[in-house]
Amino acid sequence: METIGTWWMWAGFFAFVLVMLLIDLLAVGGAKAHRVSLREAAVWSAVWVGVSLAFAGLLWCYLDHAMGREVADAKTLAFVTGYLIEKALAVDNVFVWLILFGYFAIDPALQKRVLALGVFGAIVMRSAMIFGGVWLINQFHWLLYVFGAFLLLTGIKMWRAADEAPDLADNALLAWLRRRLNVTDRLHGERFVVTQMRDGKAVRFVTPLLLVLVLVEISDLIFAVDSIPAIFAVSLDPFIVLTSNVFAILGLRAMYFLLAGMAERFSLLKYGLAIVLVFVGGKMLLMDVFHVPVLFSLGVVAAIIVTSVVLSLRRTARQAPTDGWRDEC
């Protein structure tokens, strides 16, 4: 695998991630379970974006000194583009989390622990998938065409199902878990497992919070299948792919709490994400026919996301007076 990452860069990055995970766990919401405020979530979302951009700046400075300006520009641009793609696609994951917590009626003060474990699991799973994916592509170049076709079809499917909410009542995995596990009828704080008496015997039960954690991890695995091939359209350097993925994931908890109170304002964002997947998939399918510059890709992805957000906010603003007039009547 050709990569700019040296052993000390890999070691330093993983050490940095562990420190950031600890900071995220203690800082976003504090050590105790409580409702994370919108202001707190906004501040930490900005912090994580700032940390990611600072990493991009440090990466550019090092590569400019060690490998030259051309390599520094290309690799840093690939990192920023990959980060933007992963950050944008992570929004859809956040929407699914909102549905899961709403379905199980998980109080916002109890969501922090589930999200912390979900982010940690996401980093572990994606790291394995990225190294495996890069190795497979190096062995079988034609897999890039498979990934491209998959992203194209996924984008079309996402567009068609943009307004449909997942039906958890008929979820096969959830039904399977309920049949095979002793599940309590209510939550027990932040605990995943409790011991209760049944027929005079102490029996271990899992709480609904554990079911939510399992579904959160499964949802991230599903979204990783979409997002990781998307970044392969930007770079095949495992250091660039992994770092851009991880930095996008590190701020997921803060972004979740930021979007939790205003998800309905971004009703058109899923259409934008669908277009991003179609664009990236088409780029991969045409890679040996026409090379799309990374800077152009960054501009297109940014324009699609910004446009979908602006149109969503304008749509919400137009609907608000109408809804208020109906309520008054």
Side-chain angles (χ1 to χ4, degrees):
M1 300 180 186
E2 293 186 4
T3 178
I4 59 170
T6 60
W7 71 267
W8 62 266
M9 290 174 68
W10 285 109
F13 173 70
F14 283 117
F16 173 80
V17 169
L18 291 176
V19 173
M20 288 296 100
L21 285 173
L22 182 60
I23 292 175
D24 185 44
L25 179 62
L26 296 178
V28 182
K32 296 182 179 180
H34 76 276
R35 185 185 296 266
V36 179
S37 68
L38 182 63
R39 179 180 179 182
E40 188 178 2
V43 168
W44 279 104
S45 293
V47 167
W48 291 123
V49 172
V51 169
S52 302
L53 295 179
F55 175 83
L58 292 174
L59 180 65
W60 184 89
C61 290
Y62 166 73
L63 293 177
D64 183 51
H65 174 74
M67 303 181 184
R69 182 65 51 88
E70 184 177 354
V71 174
D73 290 345
K75 294 295 184 179
T76 306
L77 189 58
F79 169 83
V80 174
T81 304
Y83 172 77
L84 179 60
I85 291 175
E86 296 301 320
K87 199 71 171 177
L89 294 177
V91 174
D92 206 24
N93 206 352
V94 168
F95 288 157
V96 171
W97 292 354
L98 286 169
I99 293 172
L100 289 174
F101 286 128
Y103 178 80
F104 285 93
I106 306 298
D107 189 272
L110 300 177
Q111 296 171 5
K112 191 184 72 169
R113 187 182 181 189
V114 173
L115 294 177
L117 293 174
V119 168
F120 178 76
I123 292 175
V124 173
M125 284 190 297
R126 290 184 182 228
S127 298
M129 293 175 69
I130 286 170
F131 284 114
V134 171
W135 181 84
L136 285 173
I137 290 172
N138 284 329
Q139 300 297 316
F140 311 101
H141 180 74
W142 53 266
L143 280 176
L144 285 173
Y145 293 105
V146 176
F147 290 157
F150 174 75
L151 292 175
L152 189 65
L153 294 175
T154 301
I156 295 173
K157 182 180 179 181
M158 181 183 291
W159 178 280
R160 291 178 175 176
D163 293 327
E164 298 178 6
D167 186 6
L168 291 178
D170 297 326
N171 185 273
L173 175 61
L174 182 57
W176 185 86
L177 289 173
R178 289 189 183 278
R179 287 196 304 268
R180 285 161 174 77
L181 296 174
N182 297 316
V183 184
T184 61
D185 296 328
R186 62 183 179 87
L187 295 168
H188 291 262
E190 290 186 305
R191 299 175 66 183
F192 294 119
V193 180
V194 295
T195 300
Q196 295 183 346
M197 299 301 295
R198 187 172 67 180
D199 298 331
K201 297 180 179 180
V203 179
R204 288 200 172 189
F205 282 75
V206 302
T207 69
L209 203 63
L210 181 65
L211 299 184
V212 175
L213 176 60
V214 172
L215 293 176
V216 163
E217 297 289 6
I218 294 297
S219 70
D220 185 75
L221 177 61
I222 293 173
F223 282 108
V225 174
D226 295 338
S227 62
I228 291 177
I231 201 174
F232 286 150
V234 177
S235 175
L236 293 179
D237 186 326
F239 188 79
I240 296 297
V241 175
L242 183 62
T243 53
S244 59
N245 248 275
V246 171
F247 272 106
I249 293 172
L250 280 175
L252 265 185
R253 285 209 310 148
M255 186 170 69
Y256 167 82
F257 290 114
L258 180 63
L259 295 178
M262 52 183 181
E264 68 281 354
R265 300 182 186 180
F266 301 102
S267 57
L268 300 179
L269 187 54
K270 281 196 173 185
Y271 291 100
L273 299 179
I275 296 173
V276 168
L277 288 178
V278 170
F279 168 74
V280 174
K283 177 186 175 185
M284 295 180 76
L285 291 174
L286 297 175
M287 60 184 174
D288 290 331
V289 178
F290 176 74
H291 174 68
V292 180
V294 177
L295 184 59
F296 179 79
S297 298
L298 175 61
V300 169
V301 172
I304 292 171
I305 299 304
V306 170
T307 300
S308 62
V309 169
V310 171
L311 292 178
S312 295
L313 295 177
R314 290 182 62 183
R315 182 186 188 186
T316 302
R318 287 197 305 267
Q319 290 176 344
T322 301
D323 294 340
W325 178 81
R326 287 177 179 174
D327 291 340
E328 294 175 0
C329 291

